[in-house]
Structures are given as structure tokens and as C-alpha cells.
Amino acid sequence: MTSLYKEVDLFGSGPHRFVVLDGRRRIIAQATVSGDVTDAGTFESGNYELRVEVHGRLVAETDLALWALRDAIVAESLWTVDSGVLEDHHGHQWTGMKLLKFEAAGSVDRGRALSLGYVAQFGVLLTS
């Protein structure tokens, strides 16, 4: 079974694992507080309803292909992109997840293939 975010395999090029984090902080949409739907951004307050991280490596044959994999994940972290279903390779699903942050872990490793470590953090945004 494949890991998916919004029915797209963003993580399958290399090894990855899902980590469910303890709920310490809640992310709130700035638009919710201000009442203005055009007000972009978030802030943290209270407890998270749910937070999941994906730790892994993107693997590709060329630099161009590696950065295309990275860019596909980063594009999902833009504020204007909606939340969706996150599914691990065992079929466990988390609904209403927003990709909050993507961080590369170190530099590109060069061998038979190119690879880049990463951590992608997902959470449920409080909307009301």
C-alpha cells in the first residue's frame, strides 16, 4: 500500500515513516480570528487537535527529478492550499490535515541515486 496525501503519492520515492505527535499547541487560521477570509497566516494557541510528521528521503535519478519531488511537497504547504486526507502505507487515515511545514534534513546525498532527507509536518487547523 502507498502513502498518500490528497490521493497523491508525495513520499513514495524513498523510505519514510509516520510519527503521531503529542498535542501541545493548536494552529489557528488568522482569518478565523479576524473574520476576514483574505487574512493569510496562522498562529499557535492551546492544544493541537492532531499533528503528524512524515520523516523520510526523497530519491531520484537526477537533480531535476529530485527537486521536482521536493517542489511537489512544498507546493502543498502554501497557505492557499486546502487540507485533505493523509494516509500512511498501512491504510491509516487522518482527515482534515494541512501540510504546515516541510524541512529538508541536510544536503543532497549523491550515489547511484540522489536523495534528500526531509520532515513534513501536518496538522488539523481550527476553523471555528
Side-chain angles (χ1 to χ4, degrees):
M1 184 168 249
T2 306
S3 300
L4 303 171
Y5 179 56
K6 295 198 261 184
E7 299 185 9
V8 177
D9 180 10
L10 296 176
F11 316 112
S13 69
H16 58 281
R17 63 185 163 82
F18 286 71
V19 179
V20 178
L21 303 173
D22 61 344
R24 292 189 183 174
R25 306 290 288 163
R26 175 175 290 158
I27 296 182
I28 300 173
Q30 187 67 33
T32 300
V33 176
S34 69
D36 179 0
V37 296
T38 64
D39 197 359
T42 61
F43 64 92
E44 294 184 78
S45 176
N47 293 327
Y48 278 114
E49 292 176 1
L50 178 61
R51 196 166 42 144
V52 177
E53 286 184 347
V54 181
H55 297 243
R57 296 199 73 75
L58 299 174
V59 179
E61 296 298 318
T62 66
D63 279 313
L64 186 63
L66 183 64
W67 291 110
L69 292 169
R70 179 207 167 271
D71 291 345
I73 297 173
V74 170
E76 288 294 335
S77 69
L78 299 175
W79 173 248
T80 56
V81 177
D82 292 333
S83 61
V85 176
L86 177 64
E87 181 175 351
D88 71 11
H89 49 277
H90 299 291
H92 187 99
Q93 294 184 345
W94 297 274
T95 59
M97 299 299 282
K98 170 79 175 127
L99 178 54
L100 304 173
K101 180 170 49 172
F102 174 85
E103 290 184 357
S107 59
V108 174
D109 289 334
R110 299 178 182 280
R112 287 187 206 133
L114 304 174
S115 69
L116 177 67
Y118 67 88
V119 175
Q121 186 180 100
F122 294 83
V124 174
L125 293 179
L126 178 66
T127 56
S128 59

